[in-house]
Amino acid sequence: MINSCLVWYLERNKLISPMQCGFRKQRSTTDHLIRLESFVREAFAQWQHAVRVFFDLEKAYESTWKFGIMRDLHNAGLHGRLPLFIESFLKNRQFHVRLGSSYSDVFDQEMGLPQGSILSVTLFGLKINSIVKAISPGVECSLYVDDFLICYRSKHIHIIECHLQQCLN
């Protein structure tokens, strides 16, 4: 119920990047495949070089900044009980690992989002928006949860190198 309310608010207010297609209604990997194919076809038709760089963010959920999520919720205009609930959801979490019938000691989850929670997926989607905002104009991108793609095309390969170098710095 909490996740449904949050998703409704984020979608209604267009707070999730349109480049994000992971776990969103009416969006899928097919959207990205069509965009990529169109990008390559246009470059080919205009005799341009096209470069694509694929990223898979390692341990994305485990390393997500909790304070950053709360800041993003606040910046999205969410105040009151919903952010308080989410803050409680993220605080003072502990876990242990089971191997066969044995359990490890209990550890504090100081960073990141709880694995397996639908609310974690939505909160990660909100937090990862900042990566799209950091992309230079003219560089295209796609995002599927923690998988990220940047694309650029030009007739001159050195121009592509310069643009992508700026994106990666």
Side-chain angles (χ1 to χ4, degrees):
M1 183 174 85
I2 299 294
N3 189 64
S4 295
C5 291
L6 181 58
V7 167
W8 176 86
Y9 180 85
L10 296 173
E11 293 288 355
R12 184 165 192 270
N13 292 291
K14 297 180 173 53
L15 296 170
I16 301 291
S17 169
M19 298 302 121
Q20 174 64 268
C21 288
F23 301 108
R24 295 178 72 193
K25 289 182 182 177
Q26 308 295 316
R27 295 172 190 259
S28 72
T29 53
T30 305
D31 296 305
H32 288 321
L33 290 172
I34 291 169
R35 289 182 66 233
L36 180 58
E37 181 189 22
S38 297
F39 178 85
V40 171
R41 284 181 185 267
E42 288 174 25
F44 185 76
Q46 297 174 17
W47 294 88
Q48 294 178 320
H49 299 279
V51 174
R52 292 149 325 271
V53 181
F54 295 85
F55 301 90
D56 181 10
L57 304 177
E58 186 177 34
K59 297 186 178 186
Y61 280 76
E62 293 93 334
S63 59
T64 303
W65 188 32
K66 292 179 184 182
F67 177 79
I69 291 170
M70 296 311 300
R71 185 188 62 206
D72 289 350
L73 289 169
H74 179 77
N75 291 342
L78 284 164
H79 309 285
R81 291 189 175 158
L82 182 58
L84 290 175
F85 175 85
I86 292 169
E87 185 175 27
S88 293
F89 171 75
L90 296 175
K91 275 187 176 178
N92 302 321
R93 296 198 69 94
Q94 296 182 321
F95 67 95
H96 58 92
V97 178
R98 183 180 74 157
L99 181 60
S101 60
S102 300
Y103 288 90
S104 72
D105 292 336
V106 175
F107 299 96
D108 291 330
Q109 183 180 9
E110 295 174 13
M111 289 187 59
L113 295 165
Q115 294 288 324
S117 168
I118 189 66
L119 186 55
S120 293
V121 173
T122 304
L123 295 172
F124 183 80
L126 176 65
K127 186 67 215 132
I128 198 72
N129 272 338
S130 58
I131 201 168
V132 174
K133 295 173 186 171
I135 298 300
S136 302
V139 176
E140 295 194 28
C141 68
S142 297
L143 195 56
Y144 194 90
V145 189
D146 65 339
D147 296 312
F148 186 54
L149 165 68
I150 58 173
C151 308
Y152 193 79
R153 64 178 182 247
S154 174
K155 290 192 185 273
H156 308 287
I157 197 74
H158 70 277
I159 293 175
I160 294 172
E161 291 172 351
C162 289
H163 273 279
L164 293 180
Q165 189 81 34
Q166 289 173 353
C167 280
L168 300 175
N169 287 334

